[in-house]
Amino acid sequence: MRKILDALTILSTILVLGILGGGFFTYKYVQSPQFQKKIMDKVLGQVQGLMPDVLGNALPDVTGKSVPVKPSIPKMF
């Protein structure tokens, strides 16, 4: 029984160290400038593909006359 418990302890220690090491290296990779540049390139590539559609659909072809706006602060004098 003692040998089984020792083996489980060693296995558990190896697994915990592996998880901690993997988390550390993942954190370092995500914080690296290369990873951030790669993500920004992907995001900007997708945004650039959407921009012509958004601007083309949002801007009207023809506008009407301007609407007079009342001043929000009444004149005292």
Side-chain angles (χ1 to χ4, degrees):
M1 188 67 160
R2 177 75 182 173
K3 289 183 180 185
I4 294 173
L5 291 176
D6 288 342
L8 288 175
T9 302
I10 291 170
L11 180 63
S12 174
T13 303
I14 291 171
L15 288 174
V16 167
L17 290 175
I19 290 170
L20 290 174
F24 175 75
F25 285 112
T26 301
Y27 174 77
K28 285 296 195 180
Y29 177 69
V30 168
Q31 294 298 320
S32 70
Q34 294 88 7
F35 178 76
Q36 292 176 357
K37 184 179 182 313
K38 184 190 305 184
I39 294 298
M40 284 300 282
D41 289 343
K42 285 184 180 181
V43 168
L44 290 177
Q46 291 177 354
V47 168
Q48 287 175 351
L50 296 175
M51 288 305 290
D53 294 337
V54 171
L55 292 177
N57 294 334
L59 297 176
D61 293 334
V62 178
T63 59
K65 294 182 179 180
S66 62
V67 178
V69 179
K70 294 181 182 179
S72 60
I73 300 173
K75 294 183 179 179
M76 298 299 281
F77 302 105

